[in-house]
Amino acid sequence: MLRRVATFARMAKKKGAKTTKAAVNNGELGAGPLNMSCFQLMAKDEVPKALPDEEYPDWMWKLAEPRMTITDLETNYDNLSMDELVQYFRWKRREQLRETNADSLRF
């Protein structure tokens, strides 16, 4: 889809037509139904329908929440949940691997 739009824009520029950019307000959704055509994986499949918020699981809404940073995890180390501890130790292990790899590259 994007390729078609880019091709159309390129062809319009070649012909001397003026292209205008539409103002997009990302903060608000339109009053009409949500456009879900980008989730259509196969051409023969139907466009999926957006469900009401109540029909989605609770864990899905937590995905949009920002995670704690490494400094927040270090300062609140004694009060972390199990998931936050797992996240903290993953970050620490990655940090240690990066340091080890960087040290091995030095001459």
Side-chain angles (χ1 to χ4, degrees):
M1 176 79 182
L2 290 176
R3 184 174 288 172
R4 278 191 240 156
V5 171
T7 305
F8 178 74
R10 208 175 318 117
M11 290 172 56
K13 283 183 181 178
K14 286 181 183 177
K15 292 182 180 179
K18 294 182 181 179
T19 58
T20 59
K21 292 185 179 181
V24 177
N25 188 358
N26 292 333
E28 298 177 9
L29 290 175
L34 186 62
N35 184 4
M36 303 274 292
S37 62
C38 60
F39 297 109
Q40 183 181 5
L41 300 178
M42 304 289 267
K44 62 183 177 183
D45 292 342
E46 277 187 31
V47 177
K49 305 283 187 232
L51 301 173
D53 290 349
E54 299 82 34
E55 294 190 28
Y56 290 105
D58 292 332
W59 60 265
M60 190 190 77
W61 301 111
K62 293 179 183 176
L63 294 175
E65 295 175 2
R67 289 180 137 190
M68 293 177 71
T69 61
I70 189 75
T71 54
D72 292 341
L73 292 173
E74 286 176 344
T75 56
N76 300 327
Y77 183 76
D78 294 333
N79 302 325
L80 296 179
S81 67
M82 185 56 80
D83 291 336
E84 293 168 340
L85 280 172
V86 168
Q87 180 184 3
Y88 173 73
F89 285 116
R90 281 183 183 164
W91 272 341
K92 282 299 197 182
R93 190 169 40 246
R94 285 182 188 148
E95 187 177 286
Q96 184 181 12
L97 283 170
R98 287 184 183 126
E99 289 176 5
T100 306
N101 289 340
D103 289 342
S104 67
L105 293 176
R106 292 186 186 137
F107 293 105

